[in-house]
Amino acid sequence: MRLDDLVFVTSNAGKLREAEAVLDRPLAHSDLDLPELQTLDLAEVVRGKAKAAWECLGRPVLVEDTGLELAGLGGFPGPLVRWLLTSVGAEGICRIATCFEDPRVTARCLVCATDGADEVFGEGVVEGTIASHPRGEGGFGWDSVFVPSEGDGRSYGEMAEDEKNLISHRRKAFVALRDVLAVS
């Protein structure tokens, strides 16, 4: 598989923009709305999306999913963060996180490329904390509440897109995938 042969399947324009910036190239894209398994296993979610995308498009695809793992909740919500965000919003995530003595959080991104026979993965992990309240207008999703440990104390939402792209979990995942594809 080659990166140039893949169609990135996402309905999130922010994820597409970040992936293209990180990889420094435009990606073939489909905004196909994929079914998403509801499980705490990020790999299972991504594999399911990759299989569904391949079956719909019949060509090599690239999919991505992200989890936000709160240490105080034993890693929950993980890949279910979208539903937590929809339910309680960014402010609610901050309130939940402050209920626990352990403020640590892990942002995890897993990307999968498949040609229907082989799967190739890239994973990116960034450690951080949840802000006491949402901060910043940039980014999307939970960017306003995630404060990476490596950085100057700003949330992803307070960073310019190019700053976030230098350290983000998504960057690490796409770079890992690119590097694996380059040697295979």
Side-chain angles (χ1 to χ4, degrees):
M1 263 181 288
R2 295 176 332 118
L3 197 53
D4 291 337
D5 298 331
L6 301 172
V7 175
F8 185 29
V9 180
T10 182
S11 57
N12 186 316
K15 289 181 179 185
L16 174 62
R17 203 172 42 254
E18 283 186 15
E20 289 180 333
V22 165
L23 296 171
D24 195 30
R25 68 174 67 203
L27 295 171
H29 169 252
S30 171
D31 64 357
L32 184 66
D33 191 21
L34 297 172
E36 193 168 303
L37 296 172
Q38 301 306 299
T39 176
L40 293 174
D41 185 337
L42 186 58
E44 193 175 337
V45 171
V46 171
R47 272 197 169 102
K49 286 171 73 170
K51 182 177 187 241
W54 165 255
E55 288 172 353
C56 285
L57 298 178
R59 60 179 288 193
V61 294
L62 172 63
V63 299
E64 175 271 1
D65 210 283
T66 302
L68 188 66
E69 304 163 2
L70 281 73
L73 289 174
F76 184 81
L80 301 176
V81 66
R82 172 174 147 189
W83 305 117
L84 185 62
L85 192 58
T86 299
S87 176
V88 300
E91 185 68 48
I93 291 175
C94 295
R95 282 194 311 272
I96 290 168
T98 59
C99 291
F100 303 99
E101 289 183 24
D102 190 346
R104 293 174 303 131
V105 64
T106 301
R108 185 177 314 274
C109 178
L110 188 63
V111 293
C112 176
T114 185
D115 59 7
D118 295 318
E119 294 174 327
V120 179
F121 293 91
E123 183 178 39
V125 176
V126 174
E127 302 296 333
T129 57
I130 295 293
S132 59
H133 61 278
R135 302 188 329 225
E137 300 298 320
F140 55 92
W142 40 264
D143 285 353
S144 66
V145 303
F146 182 76
V147 180
S149 296
E150 60 179 82
D152 57 10
R154 290 181 296 156
S155 73
Y156 276 172
E158 294 173 295
M159 296 178 188
E161 192 171 288
D162 60 332
E163 290 177 292
K164 176 188 171 191
N165 288 343
L166 288 175
I167 64 169
S168 79
H169 54 294
R170 190 165 290 109
R171 173 189 181 74
K172 292 179 179 187
F174 276 97
V175 167
L177 178 77
R178 181 194 65 203
D179 292 349
V180 170
L181 288 174
V183 296
S184 53

